[in-house]
Amino acid sequence: MGKSPSLRRIQADIRELALDPSDRYHAAPMENDMFEWHFTIRGADDTDFAGGIYHGRILLPPEYPFKPPHIIFLTPSGRFETHTKVCLSFSAYHPELWQPAWGIRLILEALISFLPTPADGAIGALDWTCKERQNLAKKSITFCCPTCGPIKNLLPELKPKKEGEEEATKKPAASLRFAKEIQELQRLQELTEGAKAKKTRGVDEDNEEKIDEKDDDDKPTASTAAAETKTAPSPTPSSNTNDAASSRATAAAAALPSTTASATTASQPTAPAESSKLTPAPSAPQHSAEEAAAQPMVHPPPSAPQEAPANQEQEQHQHQQNGEQGANQIDTTALDQSVNDDIEDMNQTLADPAWMMDPLLHLMIGLLAVICYMLLQKWNALYAELLHLRALNQQHL
């Protein structure tokens, strides 16, 4: 029986890496699982990751190479989260972009190239500062994998570069071979994750603008309210002044003598005097001073202003009681009306003979009759069997 296409492709990747090793990366499958690989890569020169060594896992699917793998970093780098399946244009988060011709070597080359790229808010991506990434690059050399051991021993020593060597010849042949594919992967990454990041930033900016507009609208209202509060007069002094004036007027009216007509005129309230000015008084005969003095003086009842609030409270209490009684009457009336409506509907349903002609109702009645007949027959059979058993028992005895 032949091997599966996935295993054949994995063996081809192993042979390719063994025949053409690189000092920039290393990868190999686990001894007990061919679909789990551990990789080690060097940070690219002239970047924040220069001098760093990063270790991780590649989880190949059973359908490899027709489906992309999951990629997990184990070494902190400031670019990718550790122990998290990262979202890249060649990972399992984008199966629509994967091509079966891509293999493990392309994944390693792409990982090195993707380290200095922006995060764009992708899953498992980080956007730490340059200083933090440089510090992590120095610490990454001492990282030790529980399965593979110290990662600095997994990579071969870097090949020395000649001083007169051109920039094009400094790059390895594999990097030049996959340059176009890596550029395409970076472009796809920017289109997919960059668009999401721009959309998210746009939504955040719109929300901030709405919040700023709302704050601007609220500020004039608050200042206007504060100004009105400052300019509003306090009602306490005026009320105190009115109370003092009324008390002084009452004391003066009580102190005046009641035997003279002039005192009677002076002790009357101000309201009648004003009304007399507006309305012409009818001509009256002149009386002498003795007749005026003989007339009794009418004083306003002092208890009238005090009884008025009590009467108002009684009226309000009575109105509240009347309102509660009216609400109870309305609730009782509504309940009686609903009950009467239900009774009326039931009477109309019973008076209408259409429900008696319903074939479904007739069918149900027929089935119920058949069931009752069968139960009766069964009961008769059981009763007859019981009598037979009794008779047999008596014969044996």
Side-chain angles (χ1 to χ4, degrees), residues 79 87 114 117-123 125-127 133 186-201:
R79 174 61 177 87
C87 178
F114 269 72
T117 58
D120 290 333
I123 298 174
L126 298 175
D127 197 5
R133 290 178 174 180
Q186 291 179 354
R187 187 184 69 83
L188 294 174
Q189 180 78 8
E190 185 178 356
L191 288 177
T192 54
E193 303 301 331
K196 294 180 183 178
K198 290 179 181 178
K199 186 177 180 180
T200 305
R201 286 196 295 268

Side-chain angles (χ1 to χ4, degrees), residues 7-241:
L7 292 177
R8 288 199 298 269
R9 177 58 183 272
I10 291 172
Q11 289 179 351
D13 290 334
I14 294 172
R15 285 195 300 270
E16 182 187 5
L17 293 174
L19 293 175
D20 187 13
S22 174
D23 58 352
R24 301 172 63 244
Y25 50 80
H26 173 270
M30 298 290 96
E31 294 180 359
N32 56 352
D33 188 0
M34 296 288 289
F35 290 89
E36 180 180 354
W37 288 54
H38 278 223
F39 68 88
T40 307
I41 58 175
R42 293 184 188 274
D45 297 335
D46 301 328
T47 64
D48 299 334
F49 308 92
I53 301 176
Y54 306 98
H55 193 71
R57 299 163 61 199
I58 299 176
L59 304 180
L60 300 175
E63 298 84 5
Y64 178 79
F66 302 103
K67 286 188 178 181
H70 279 294
I71 299 171
I72 302 172
F73 275 84
L74 302 179
T75 308
S77 61
R79 174 61 177 87
F80 296 106
E81 296 182 11
T82 58
H83 305 283
T84 302
K85 296 176 180 178
V86 297
C87 178
L88 296 168
S89 56
F90 52 90
S91 68
Y93 284 97
H94 293 286
E96 72 281 359
L97 305 178
W98 175 259
Q99 296 183 14
W102 297 343
I104 299 297
R105 187 182 291 275
L106 175 63
I107 293 174
L108 299 176
E109 293 280 354
L111 287 175
I112 297 173
S113 301
F114 269 72
L115 281 175
T117 58
D120 290 333
I123 298 174
L126 298 175
D127 197 5
W128 289 15
T129 61
C130 298
K131 187 175 181 181
E132 291 174 336
R133 290 178 174 180
Q134 290 171 3
N135 292 333
L136 291 175
K138 294 177 182 178
K139 296 179 181 178
S140 64
I141 302 174
T142 60
F143 181 80
C144 181
C145 176
T147 306
C148 305
I151 60 174
K152 66 180 180 179
N153 299 332
L154 300 176
L155 291 174
E157 295 182 0
L158 288 172
K159 298 177 182 179
K161 300 176 182 178
K162 299 179 181 180
E163 294 181 357
E165 195 174 10
E166 297 182 359
E167 185 68 22
T169 59
K170 289 182 181 180
K171 295 183 179 180
S175 300
L176 297 174
R177 185 177 61 181
F178 295 115
K180 294 183 179 179
E181 287 84 349
I182 292 173
Q183 290 179 0
E184 181 67 15
L185 289 173
Q186 291 179 354
R187 187 184 69 83
L188 294 174
Q189 180 78 8
E190 185 178 356
L191 288 177
T192 54
E193 303 301 331
K196 294 180 183 178
K198 290 179 181 178
K199 186 177 180 180
T200 305
R201 286 196 295 268
V203 172
D204 295 339
E205 291 176 359
D206 294 341
N207 293 334
E208 290 178 0
E209 290 178 359
K210 290 180 181 178
I211 293 171
D212 294 339
E213 291 176 359
K214 186 176 180 181
D215 293 340
D216 295 339
D217 294 340
D218 292 342
K219 285 180 181 178
T221 307
S223 60
T224 307
E228 291 177 355
T229 306
K230 292 180 180 179
T231 57
S234 176
T236 306
S238 61
S239 61
N240 295 335
T241 305

Side-chain angles (χ1 to χ4, degrees), residues 261-335:
S262 59
T264 306
T265 307
S267 62
Q268 291 180 356
T270 308
E274 292 178 357
S275 61
S276 63
K277 291 180 182 178
L278 296 175
T279 307
S283 61
Q286 297 178 357
H287 298 283
S288 60
E290 296 178 356
E291 292 178 356
Q295 292 180 356
M297 181 178 179
V298 180
H299 294 283
S303 61
Q306 298 178 359
E307 294 177 356
N311 295 335
Q312 291 179 0
E313 291 179 0
Q314 292 178 359
E315 291 179 359
Q316 291 178 0
H317 184 64
Q318 187 174 0
H319 284 309
Q320 289 179 0
Q321 290 181 351
N322 293 337
E324 292 176 357
Q325 292 177 0
N328 294 334
Q329 290 178 0
I330 291 171
D331 294 341
T332 308
T333 305
L335 181 60

